Amino acid sequence: MKYLSTRGGMPPKSFTEILLGGLATDGGLTIAEAYPKFGKEELAAMRGMGYRELAFEVIRRFADDIPAADLKAIVDKTYTAAVFRNDEITPVKTLEPGLHILELSNGPTLAFKDVAMQLLGNLFEYALARDNAEINILGATSGDTGSAAEYAMRGKRGIKVFMLSPLGKMSPFQTAQMYSLQDPNIFNIAVKGVFDDCQDIVKAVSNDLDFKARHKIGAVNSINWARVTAQVVYYFKAYFAVTKNNDEEVSFSVPSGNFGNVCAGHIARQMGLPIKKLIVATNENDVLDEFFRTGAYRPRPETHHTSSPSMDISKASNFERFVYDLVGRDPAIVKELWQQVDGGGSFDLAKTPYFAQVGKFGMVSGVSSHADRLATIRKVYEQYGVMLDTHTADGFKVGLEHREAGVPLICLETALAAKFDETIRAALGREPERPADLVGIEDLPQRFEVMDSDVEAVKRFVVAHSA
Ligand SMILES: *Cc1c(COP(=O)(O)O)cnc(C)c1O
């Protein structure tokens, strides 16, 4: 399997060659030259598989330059009941016949990003050891992605993590999750500022190409191809869990921000999984909904801060992968469209033949507001006794709008309610439940470095502590 750039300017590369990187060398996103297809017999054989077997079966089609025995060992070591609190890894909860929640948030940081990030940690360690190399991961977080990255990379050989977070701006639970890590390869840098200051520092360091190369600076952002492939697996797992045979169709509702999760669903569908609809749910940051309704993609000058903060984006970084497929995999068209986006503009496919193809890819969309979130959390708790987090509630609300009789609807649970206690209190007037092993995490000793919002100071710190 070779990987190309969505903009056509990168020589073909293998899976491990793109594993540690971010953007393709021409500024596009890396993409498989063709999606592997599962035929009837293969799907029939996969139906009986547990998570680890299924993960190996799917991921080996993409990571075919890792020897099968090595990949199997990595997958088996990643997807364990010890890490995901359940041997099903991503169990399905049925609310009523035909209406299901796919639990993706039983990992260490109680959000779906753990599913891919835990695999990435083990893949990184494997690839670095093989090449006798090291990496210093630099990132900025407002809470969620950063903690998933830290829990995936803690204790890994050849990897150090420098994670910037805004001092005093995260919830006590999120702060405790990150700052209580005592692993010597994890560095929490609490910046006196807001999240945007942290992000600006990371951008400034990454734009210093000489510094970046000299100090082996890397990232684990949501455009990482391996993360997307790891997410393909649970669409298969959920499909087999709610159907009896492979002629049935199901629909998935996906709380979306950077389009990574639903992009994995799109890939699963292209691989032959019988998915009817992929329902893209956004919050007040509705750039994706606007596209799927009108054909216009208009990244916004500003981002709304909402009660589903992990979907607060103004630009959807993985969306370019879908558009590549939508325009018939023609990199010249993608390049032209993103020249407009990268220049601060937008594009409109409404009057092109491409937009008419959106339906063929099963994509539909909708928006959920703060009031919808509260009402949905209340309704699902009263009706089914199940507590949804704010992001999952957005997906649930939009999912129901597109539900069809006779087609099972699977709503992806992207985080647990425990992470968003303020909104849960507002919706339900009570505290969210929390996994037993995380009760009292706020009382653990914390390890973090407080720094001014100063690029040079951060660079000095990285140099002094880097791998
Ligand atoms: C990251 C995240 C999302 C959005 O996922 P994308 O892959 O960026 O679309 C939704 N919900 C939660 C809880 C998240 O952490």
Side-chain angles (χ1 to χ4, degrees):
M1 172 72 73
K2 287 292 178 193
Y3 293 90
L4 312 170
S5 165
T6 49
R7 301 188 195 173
M10 182 183 81
K13 293 192 176 186
S14 72
F15 182 84
T16 50
E17 281 173 319
I18 61 164
L19 174 64
L20 298 163
L23 291 174
T25 45
D26 64 347
L29 301 193
T30 52
I31 188 103
E33 61 183 345
Y35 297 122
K37 295 260 191 275
F38 290 122
K40 271 192 180 338
E41 276 165 32
E42 283 160 315
L43 282 177
M46 287 163 80
R47 176 165 281 279
M49 292 182 180
Y51 197 94
R52 286 175 289 277
E53 264 182 296
L54 207 47
F56 175 66
E57 205 51 40
V58 170
I59 296 167
R60 74 184 175 90
R61 315 288 165 128
F62 293 103
D64 61 353
D65 64 332
I66 298 179
D70 292 357
L71 183 65
K72 181 117 191 55
I74 291 168
V75 166
D76 287 350
K77 168 171 140 181
T78 302
Y79 295 112
T80 65
V83 175
F84 288 92
R85 297 185 176 87
N86 189 312
D87 203 46
E88 291 278 307
I89 310 302
T90 63
V92 169
K93 185 157 47 200
T94 297
L95 301 183
E96 63 180 48
L99 183 60
H100 313 272
I101 301 280
L102 172 58
E103 294 184 27
L104 300 176
S105 309
N106 298 318
T109 73
L110 312 186
F112 89 100
K113 292 200 172 67
D114 288 328
V115 179
M117 207 74 93
Q118 286 289 321
L119 182 75
L120 203 64
N122 287 324
L123 284 172
F124 271 29
E125 187 176 49
Y126 171 83
L128 290 166
R130 200 181 57 176
D131 303 341
N132 200 14
E134 293 170 334
I135 192 171
N136 295 302
I137 292 169
L138 178 67
T141 187
S142 52
D144 280 343
T145 318
S147 60
E150 289 185 353
Y151 278 81
M153 305 295 166
R154 62 188 295 201
K156 297 279 186 275
R157 259 167 301 139
I159 304 175
K160 293 205 170 166
V161 177
F162 299 88
M163 193 58 70
L164 311 187
S165 52
L167 176 65
K169 300 285 192 306
M170 300 186 294
S171 75
F173 177 72
Q174 282 179 320
T175 307
Q177 265 196 318
M178 290 180 57
Y179 295 1
S180 67
L181 286 177
Q182 300 295 334
D183 307 76
N185 72 324
I186 304 292
F187 299 93
N188 280 301
I189 301 175
V191 174
K192 293 182 196 162
V194 293
F195 170 63
D196 289 333
D197 298 318
C198 301
Q199 206 163 28
D200 288 346
I201 295 172
V202 172
K203 274 188 202 148
V205 175
S206 305
N207 288 338
D208 183 344
L209 296 182
D210 179 53
F211 182 89
K212 201 177 157 191
R214 215 155 12 102
H215 299 288
K216 296 166 270 182
I217 304 293
V220 282
N221 38 35
S222 75
I223 55 164
N224 182 287
W225 173 258
R227 277 179 68 178
V228 176
T229 55
Q231 290 170 180
V232 171
V233 176
Y234 51 69
Y235 285 88
F236 282 86
K237 183 76 168 64
Y239 174 80
F240 295 128
V242 311
T243 58
K244 294 223 156 42
N245 69 69
N246 298 343
D247 299 323
E248 291 177 57
E249 283 188 319
V250 305
S251 291
F252 287 94
S253 179
V254 189
S256 294
N258 274 319
F259 206 77
N261 200 353
V262 70
C263 186
H266 161 69
I267 293 169
R269 193 172 183 273
Q270 296 302 107
M271 292 173 80
L273 193 67
I275 297 175
K276 178 130 195 239
K277 280 183 187 161
L278 287 163
I279 303 161
V280 180
T282 74
N283 64 17
E284 291 87 339
N285 297 284
D286 60 351
V287 56
L288 288 168
D289 176 60
E290 181 179 37
F291 175 79
F292 287 107
R293 272 186 306 102
T294 71
Y297 181 60
R298 294 189 308 128
R300 309 298 158 79
E302 63 178 34
T303 312
H304 300 288
H305 293 281
T306 75
S307 47
S308 45
S310 300
M311 291 155 65
D312 291 349
I313 55 99
S314 46
K315 212 186 245 193
S317 50
N318 275 289
F319 183 56
E320 188 173 335
R321 290 193 167 112
F322 174 71
V323 172
Y324 179 74
D325 287 340
L326 186 65
V327 301
R329 309 201 117 216
D330 183 339
I333 298 174
V334 176
K335 189 174 169 191
E336 195 191 309
L337 295 174
W338 257 269
Q339 246 155 21
Q340 297 164 45
V341 171
D342 290 343
S346 57
F347 60 76
D348 190 351
L349 299 184
K351 295 194 177 65
T352 68
Y354 309 121
F355 189 59
Q357 304 292 309
V358 162
K360 207 184 79 183
F361 288 97
M363 293 273 177
V364 294
S365 70
V367 180
S368 166
S369 68
H370 179 71
D372 294 328
R373 226 162 278 144
L374 294 184
T376 304
I377 291 170
R378 231 172 263 138
K379 182 179 103 170
V380 171
Y381 191 64
E382 280 163 14
Q383 219 168 322
Y384 307 104
V386 170
M387 215 185 267
L388 299 186
D389 99 287
T390 53
H391 307 77
T392 308
D394 288 332
F396 196 88
K397 184 255 177 187
V398 176
L400 286 189
E401 289 169 358
H402 291 280
R403 190 179 179 190
E404 296 166 276
V407 182
L409 174 65
I410 302 170
C411 297
L412 270 54
E413 170 212 79
T414 54
L416 291 194
K419 297 193 82 167
F420 303 96
D421 48 354
E422 217 175 293
T423 313
I424 297 298
R425 276 194 297 272
L428 302 177
R430 54 160 292 180
E431 293 295 320
E433 299 131 7
R434 188 187 281 191
D437 55 308
L438 294 176
V439 173
I441 190 175
E442 291 91 339
D443 302 328
L444 295 176
Q446 299 189 352
R447 178 172 161 268
F448 58 100
E449 195 77 22
V450 177
M451 293 181 76
D452 288 324
S453 178
D454 174 355
V455 177
E456 292 310 316
V458 169
K459 278 183 174 170
R460 280 195 299 276
F461 185 87
V462 171
V463 172
H465 299 92
S466 61

